[in-house]
Amino acid sequence: MAKYIFITGGVVSSLGKGISGASIGKLLQLHGFKVSMIKFDPYINVDPGTMNPYQHGEVFVTIDGAESDLDLGTYERFLDIYTSKANTNTAGDIYQTVINMERRGDYDGATVQVIPHITDEIKKRFAALKDDCDISIIEIGGTVGDIESLPFMEAARQFQLENKKEDIFSIHVTLVPYIAGARELKTKPTQHSVNKLREIGISPDMIICRTEHRLDESLKRKISLFCNVKEDYVIEALDSPSIYYIPEALYRQDVDSLIIERLNIKPKKKFDETWFAKIKAAARFNKKVKIAVVGKYADLKDAYKSIDESLNIAAAELSAKAEVHYLGAEDKNLIEKLKSYNAVLVPGGFGSRGIEGKIESITYARENKIPFLGICLGMQCSVIEVARNLAELKGANSTEFNENTKYPVIKILDEQKNIRYRGSTMRLGNYKSEVKKNTLAYNLYKTVEIEERHRHRYEMNPEFIDILEKAGLFVSAYHKGMLPEIIEMKNHPFFVGVQFHPEFGSRPMKAHPLFKGFIDAALKNAEK
Ligand code: GLN
């Protein structure tokens, strides 16, 4: 059985199509269906790996090493699944595949065109996971009417034509804006957006209306009438204090049963409502903890989306609320500001901007026994910090920031230079490592063998391990006994640097052990 739910968006971007899709996926999963979600981004970049996080938010890394859109993180967290390369597609990637085929002569002399060649490739990818699940939810990025998204919409139209009506359900997510002066919600943008979609040949089965105020019956009736969608299928999506409350809000409007009925499928188990209660219970807290994230993109939460989620999820499991603030690493008063926080996290990143500020924050956390978690670049900065300030390796650095440093404590190792994956030299995706017993890392993971996602070029230079360990640092996990994966500091309540990205492994009610340990240490620090 292959069923498909298509999600398109209209009026404006950032309406939360990913969250709507993931919430519907969650409801269907609670009915016992196996759900997968596939994202289609209409931009020309082959993947978001090279895109500025200011524009695109964080790059989410799948276990098989795809650098993808942050919506894949939303899918993984809502559905508690693992996504892969097949779950993320871009126009660039699709065109590249088609052009490569053309160069190979696969089209046998034909003129290669958007229709049918690009649309055929898109359709192939719509169906990529059909054998692995009961329902594929396909999210088409961008907004209806964009030039970029046209081939995707066209492919969706053809796909409808080529499949049974009862196998496809189409959802359009729009905005119903509130005009304060008139004190009125306006349906016109939704009408125009649906008209645009129908011009392309897609009639939505359901309209999800993002709104700041409740949609009354007359408004729903109006949308129904003008958009040719049954009234029950006009769904209100009110702004919500937590994205994890959205599945319940949709459930209360029968979104799941309406879809199940249209797709002509039978739930595989009794619907499990306890998930809603668990989510609400997790939001209760009786203490607060203040966490400083010292990074390059201080004013953009989306750039550290999975870290933010991980901190909140871990805090929730400890009945606490994490107040997470993003501090710019170049802020002149950084250290002064850090004094009002219970813990310091230095996230991953690329390039030299803000490095010295990050290193200074680590000195502050180390000397004052403030819990510290360094992720990827954050870990590399902590190695530089210890090298400079405890091991007396003056001017120690990563060759990413100073190629000629006398003490390259972080560098590109020779074997790293040979890694070629999707055209880059990065270590990407899951790698195993072995955690040493009697370490903080082991106490948290409670297991020797771990597997975590990577996205980096540089590594801790094994030549310096001895001297750094003599200075108080300790390598508590290695990949293949060779590449340092986790470092700790002796005589510190919580000082952990990890070469990988644990933030991609957190799920609601299943906090990642490192984040849980970090928040726990921060809470203990707050009590002092
Ligand atoms: N820039 C560093 C490297 O390439 C760290 C990357 C990261 O933090 N993801 O190794």
Side-chain angles (χ1 to χ4, degrees):
M1 180 175 70
K3 301 280 177 179
Y4 301 91
I5 299 175
F6 281 87
I7 308 212
T8 53
V11 184
V12 289
S13 58
S14 308
L15 284 177
K17 291 194 291 288
I19 293 167
S20 300
S23 299
I24 289 168
K26 186 76 218 173
L27 294 179
L28 294 168
Q29 206 181 46
L30 295 172
H31 279 291
F33 295 110
K34 194 163 177 220
V35 178
S36 72
M37 302 202 55
I38 313 182
K39 177 87 198 264
F40 287 81
D41 276 308
Y43 47 73
I44 302 294
N45 303 61
V46 172
D47 63 41
T50 52
M51 283 165 88
N52 185 338
Y54 265 125
Q55 283 182 25
H56 194 266
E58 97 181 347
V59 173
F60 186 83
V61 182
T62 61
I63 54 175
D64 63 346
E67 296 178 274
S68 76
D69 184 82
L70 54 75
D71 271 328
L72 265 72
T74 307
Y75 305 162
E76 290 207 0
R77 284 186 288 270
F78 267 82
L79 302 182
D80 195 6
I81 54 170
Y82 289 108
T83 56
S84 71
K85 171 70 194 85
N87 300 80
T88 169
N89 302 276
T90 69
D93 178 21
I94 288 160
Y95 273 83
Q96 194 174 54
T97 304
V98 171
I99 291 168
N100 288 343
M101 281 163 69
E102 184 274 331
R103 291 290 84 185
R104 275 204 315 261
D106 293 0
Y107 293 112
D108 217 13
T111 307
V112 180
Q113 292 174 304
V114 173
I115 306 173
H117 302 99
I118 296 293
T119 47
D120 277 354
E121 181 62 27
I122 297 173
K123 285 188 286 178
K124 198 167 105 199
R125 294 175 186 221
F126 285 163
L129 297 171
K130 73 172 185 337
D131 297 328
D132 303 329
C133 65
D134 302 315
I135 303 163
S136 284
I137 301 182
I138 291 161
E139 182 192 341
I140 300 180
T143 310
V144 174
D146 292 350
I147 292 178
E148 283 88 350
S149 47
L150 269 177
F152 295 93
M153 303 287 175
E154 167 60 16
R157 182 194 67 79
Q158 294 175 16
F159 199 75
Q160 260 180 8
L161 187 70
E162 291 158 10
N163 284 278
K164 281 201 232 128
K165 201 168 180 321
E166 63 167 31
D167 288 346
I168 293 174
F169 192 88
S170 166
I171 301 177
H172 191 54
V173 183
T174 71
L175 177 72
V176 178
Y178 181 72
I179 307 297
R183 294 211 191 148
E184 234 186 319
L185 286 165
K186 292 291 186 189
T187 65
K188 193 70 81 193
T190 298
Q191 295 177 36
H192 282 305
S193 175
V194 171
N195 274 346
K196 196 89 211 155
L197 197 61
R198 288 170 65 195
E199 259 170 42
I200 299 167
I202 299 173
S203 273
D205 297 296
M206 178 177 275
I207 300 177
I208 295 187
C209 306
R210 282 297 307 274
T211 169
E212 287 172 54
H213 299 274
R214 302 216 71 123
L215 298 184
D216 60 25
E217 289 310 313
S218 69
L219 219 82
K220 283 193 183 174
R221 219 170 297 131
K222 196 167 168 190
I223 295 174
S224 159
L225 184 68
F226 282 97
C227 300
N228 202 36
V229 168
K230 285 219 164 72
E231 214 180 304
D232 297 356
Y233 290 76
V234 178
I235 306 298
E236 166 194 282
L238 265 180
D239 292 351
S240 169
S242 160
I243 54 170
Y244 298 109
Y245 297 162
I246 294 171
E248 183 172 1
L250 299 181
Y251 177 72
R252 300 282 164 228
Q253 299 176 74
D254 295 326
V255 167
D256 50 332
S257 341
L258 294 170
I259 295 175
I260 286 172
E261 194 188 297
R262 276 285 174 93
L263 289 177
N264 197 17
I265 42 180
K266 288 212 164 45
K268 294 197 164 174
K269 67 173 192 199
K270 194 174 167 297
F271 189 84
D272 178 15
E273 270 198 40
T274 54
W275 191 83
F276 302 144
K278 283 188 205 145
I279 281 288
K280 276 191 207 136
R284 280 181 215 122
F285 61 88
N286 51 30
K287 42 195 182 278
K288 284 188 183 172
V289 66
K290 282 186 80 181
I291 311 290
V293 176
V294 180
K296 193 154 81 170
Y297 306 103
D299 38 11
L300 190 76
K301 219 166 126 175
D302 262 3
Y304 302 114
K305 178 108 188 126
S306 292
I307 289 183
D308 203 69
E309 287 277 331
S310 296
L311 291 168
N312 290 324
I313 289 169
E317 251 171 64
L318 295 162
S319 307
K321 178 164 177 53
E323 284 182 0
V324 185
H325 292 156
Y326 295 84
L327 307 183
E330 290 171 305
D331 189 327
K332 295 226 162 17
N333 298 319
L334 181 60
I335 303 303
E336 208 36 52
K337 286 188 181 162
L338 282 182
K339 289 183 182 156
S340 61
Y341 291 88
N342 307 120
V344 177
L345 188 152
V346 178
F350 293 82
S352 59
R353 195 155 69 73
I355 288 300
E356 295 306 320
K358 290 178 192 176
I359 294 173
E360 276 170 39
S361 334
I362 298 170
T363 311
Y364 164 80
R366 180 178 57 73
E367 287 178 346
N368 295 287
K369 308 238 183 281
I370 308 293
F372 162 75
L373 179 60
I375 295 179
C376 207
L377 180 72
M379 176 261 203
Q380 297 174 354
C381 287
S382 69
V383 171
I384 299 170
E385 196 280 328
V386 172
R388 287 185 190 171
N389 299 329
L390 293 180
E392 290 172 27
L393 301 175
K394 208 161 166 268
N397 216 331
S398 161
T399 52
E400 182 177 4
F401 316 126
N402 178 3
E403 261 183 71
N404 306 316
T405 172
K406 197 164 159 204
Y407 304 113
V409 288
I410 306 289
K411 69 169 195 176
I412 300 186
L413 302 178
D414 288 342
E415 59 270 47
Q416 193 79 3
K417 286 182 189 149
N418 301 326
I419 295 182
R420 283 227 158 253
Y421 185 80
R422 290 155 63 93
S424 84
T425 47
M426 278 205 263
R427 196 140 76 99
L428 278 166
N430 259 13
Y431 283 82
K432 285 191 179 134
S433 42
E434 283 197 0
V435 181
K436 285 193 187 148
K437 291 201 170 156
N438 300 319
T439 59
L440 178 56
Y442 183 80
N443 283 346
L444 297 172
Y445 277 104
K446 299 192 170 46
T447 174
V448 170
E449 193 174 285
I450 60 167
E451 201 164 1
E452 296 276 9
R453 295 179 220 193
H454 291 66
R455 180 178 180 242
H456 59 104
R457 246 174 228 109
Y458 295 80
E459 306 269 355
M460 181 171 170
N461 184 347
E463 286 167 33
F464 288 91
I465 293 175
D466 269 356
I467 178 162
L468 291 169
E469 289 205 327
K470 280 194 191 104
L473 181 143
F474 182 70
V475 180
S476 54
Y478 281 95
H479 170 65
K480 292 196 168 154
M482 201 178 73
L483 297 177
E485 292 273 4
I486 308 182
I487 59 116
E488 303 178 5
M489 277 311 279
K490 291 172 198 151
N491 305 320
H492 192 289
F494 191 105
F495 188 104
V496 177
V498 290
Q499 186 54 79
F500 46 81
H501 289 274
E503 69 270 27
F504 300 137
S506 305
R507 276 103 165 81
M509 299 176 279
K510 272 192 198 169
H512 188 286
L514 287 179
F515 279 93
K516 200 164 167 185
F518 178 59
I519 295 285
D520 192 37
L523 282 165
K524 289 195 177 107
N525 184 31
E527 277 162 20
K528 269 193 210 156

